[in-house]
Amino acid sequence: MKFNALQTVLALLAQLVVLTHARATINQQILSLKEANSTLIQYPTQITQNIVPKAIHSHNDYWRDVPLLTALSLGVASVEADVWLVNGTLFVGHEVQALTKDRTFDSLYVQPILQVLQVTNHRSPFTVNQTGANGVFDMDGGLPLQLLIDMKTDGPSTLPFVVKALQPLREKGFLTTFANGTLTVNQVTAVGTGNTPLDGVKALEPRDVFFDAPLTQLNDPSLNTTFDSTISPLASTDWESAIGWSGIGSISESQLGNLTQFIADAHALGIKARFWDTPEWPIFARNAIWQVLADNGADWLNADDLEAASSF
Ligand SMILES: *[C@@H]1O[C@H](CO)[C@@H](O)[C@H](O)[C@H]1NC(C)=O
Ligand SMILES: *[C@@H]1O[C@H](CO)[C@@H](O)[C@H](O)[C@H]1NC(C)=O
Ligand SMILES: *[C@@H]1O[C@H](CO)[C@@H](O)[C@H](O)[C@H]1NC(C)=O
Ligand SMILES: *[C@@H]1O[C@H](CO)[C@@H](O)[C@H](O)[C@H]1NC(C)=O
Ligand SMILES: *[C@@H]1O[C@H](CO)[C@@H](O)[C@H](O)[C@H]1NC(C)=O
Ligand SMILES: *[C@@H]1O[C@H](CO)[C@@H](O)[C@H](O)[C@H]1NC(C)=O
């Protein structure tokens, strides 16, 4: 008995030595591969390597030090740019006093998105049989990036400039498009919000700028619109006025009833639901609201604190 126990301990020790040795050998190999900048540990679409895409909307994304890329680095699959039309150019910022000549819709969004997509869609002898393009996320090439464009200046005059500004993405075939009765989901889905004119969006042919529909009015006859995903892949509403729960204490039955009704209305039309202006603080209240949203099928978490949302 005693002898057997000793034998077992010795056998375990021997195994540990082998494992430790194996781990050291592997770590050594990893180090040499890295030191030699070996091509074995490099691959072309590394730009978003290991980033898990998440259904988070980066509210006021342009406020971040580095718009778009910070969001992508956290796996955020929806970003938002506030655009102002001045002298024929779209500038990005929350208020006019925040605008500068360098921070344009083209320089902060269109060109960086194009660059990421050029990396994830690089051509090589291995891609010759590939049909269709990859999206921004290496881990889920089929997932589109949602680009919300909040038109701050007059809608009917701004929309044509937004359509024009998206041309570099359009000509590469990267934009989700509704044409000839068919909706084709591509790598970037552009959705107008703010002053975006519904009639202007409906008149686009082909249509590759869509309309952020009013989530609480999807079946409101006064809007003269049969909403569906060919007009609005997304419908949004202000949390405060639509639901009103602060996240502290329990959500009431009628608030929960409203919430599930709005989400069900959207889903019945093939539209995704988003609530904005959800409280950011206290943190426990913010998290309680995120939890209720996730539990009840809201499609996007609207977040200012992307790190918190991405680790939620
Ligand atoms: C590693 O190699 C790649 C090309 O294979 C090159 O682009 C990169 O600059 C190299 N990095 C370093 C640190 O040498
Ligand atoms: C718009 O154009 C006018 C006339 O050329 C010029 O005076 C003005 O500074 C421009 N505004 C901006 C924001 O560039
Ligand atoms: C592409 O398809 C052809 C025809 O099926 C095949 O012979 C070839 O090996 C494929 N190339 C790659 C890189 O998969
Ligand atoms: C839509 O149809 C028109 C006319 O038949 C054609 O020229 C155009 O290429 C089509 N567009 C798409 C995106 O299929
Ligand atoms: C809906 O149509 C009616 C009658 O044509 C019109 O008076 C009204 O302004 C339209 N509403 C919207 C939101 O376009
Ligand atoms: C919430 O639901 C109640 C009925 O339970 C309804 O009277 C109320 O109008 C709804 N609120 C909103 C914002 O639609």
Side-chain angles (χ1 to χ4, degrees):
M1 201 61 182
K2 234 181 186 173
F3 181 70
N4 276 348
L6 185 64
Q7 242 181 350
T8 310
V9 169
L10 284 176
L12 281 174
L13 269 177
Q15 227 170 10
L16 192 66
V17 169
V18 170
L19 270 180
T20 312
H21 181 70
R23 198 165 297 140
T25 314
I26 285 192
N27 286 341
Q28 186 54 48
Q29 291 223 10
I30 292 173
L31 195 65
S32 346
L33 286 168
K34 285 189 170 161
E35 276 173 0
N37 190 23
S38 165
T39 54
L40 295 181
I41 56 168
Q42 297 168 12
Y43 68 97
T45 57
Q46 254 168 343
I47 186 159
T48 50
Q49 177 183 17
N50 272 338
I51 297 174
V52 180
K54 303 176 190 85
I56 298 170
H57 173 69
S58 175
H59 180 234
N60 291 335
D61 182 69
Y62 51 85
W63 261 339
R64 303 181 203 296
D65 289 343
V66 182
L68 178 74
L69 297 180
T70 307
L72 292 186
S73 76
L74 293 164
V76 169
S78 178
V79 295
E80 172 180 337
D82 283 12
V83 302
W84 303 77
L85 179 66
V86 183
N87 284 355
T89 299
L90 295 169
F91 295 90
V92 169
H94 195 55
E95 298 295 345
V96 282
Q97 61 268 30
L99 305 182
T100 72
K101 68 176 182 31
D102 289 339
R103 293 171 62 85
T104 65
F105 182 55
D106 186 63
S107 66
L108 289 184
Y109 287 90
V110 176
Q111 294 305 329
I113 291 171
L114 197 59
Q115 277 161 19
V116 173
L117 287 172
Q118 272 163 354
V119 174
T120 58
N121 289 289
H122 79 107
R123 291 285 159 238
S124 82
F126 296 100
T127 64
V128 288
N129 294 336
Q130 199 188 34
T131 53
N134 300 313
V136 293
F137 292 108
D138 184 41
M139 209 177 257
D140 185 356
L143 185 78
L145 172 71
Q146 179 167 269
L147 174 59
L148 246 65
I149 304 157
D150 186 340
M151 299 183 199
K152 291 295 191 186
T153 35
D154 169 70
S157 29
T158 308
L159 179 61
F161 286 88
V162 169
V163 170
K164 192 170 145 215
L166 292 167
Q167 182 59 22
L169 293 167
R170 181 179 301 114
E171 71 189 26
K172 299 272 182 192
F174 289 144
L175 293 178
T176 294
T177 304
F178 177 63
N180 300 336
T182 303
L183 181 71
T184 308
V185 176
N186 285 320
Q187 294 66 43
V188 179
T189 302
V191 182
T193 185
N195 289 338
T196 301
L198 175 56
D199 287 340
V201 167
K202 282 159 76 176
L204 293 175
E205 173 65 45
R207 181 183 303 141
D208 54 21
V209 176
F210 298 87
F211 184 77
D212 182 16
L215 182 57
T216 59
Q217 290 175 277
L218 289 173
N219 299 309
D220 182 341
S222 76
L223 297 183
N224 302 340
T225 301
T226 308
F227 284 105
D228 62 25
S229 59
T230 70
I231 297 173
S232 296
L234 175 72
S236 308
T237 196
D238 177 357
W239 171 267
E240 186 54 42
S241 56
I243 310 295
W245 178 49
S246 67
I248 299 173
S250 310
I251 188 168
S252 77
E253 225 164 274
S254 96
Q255 288 167 327
L256 190 59
N258 289 123
L259 174 69
T260 51
Q261 186 61 54
F262 295 142
I263 294 174
D265 287 349
H267 289 181
L269 300 167
I271 296 174
K272 296 199 165 164
R274 175 181 73 115
F275 293 85
W276 45 269
D277 204 17
T278 47
E280 283 294 315
W281 192 86
I283 301 300
F284 75 88
R286 175 199 69 188
N287 289 357
I289 290 170
W290 281 353
Q291 190 68 51
V292 164
L293 286 171
D295 285 346
N296 290 284
D299 301 280
W300 293 101
L301 277 192
N302 202 67
D304 288 287
D305 184 342
L306 298 183
E307 291 192 30
S310 72
S311 56
F312 178 64

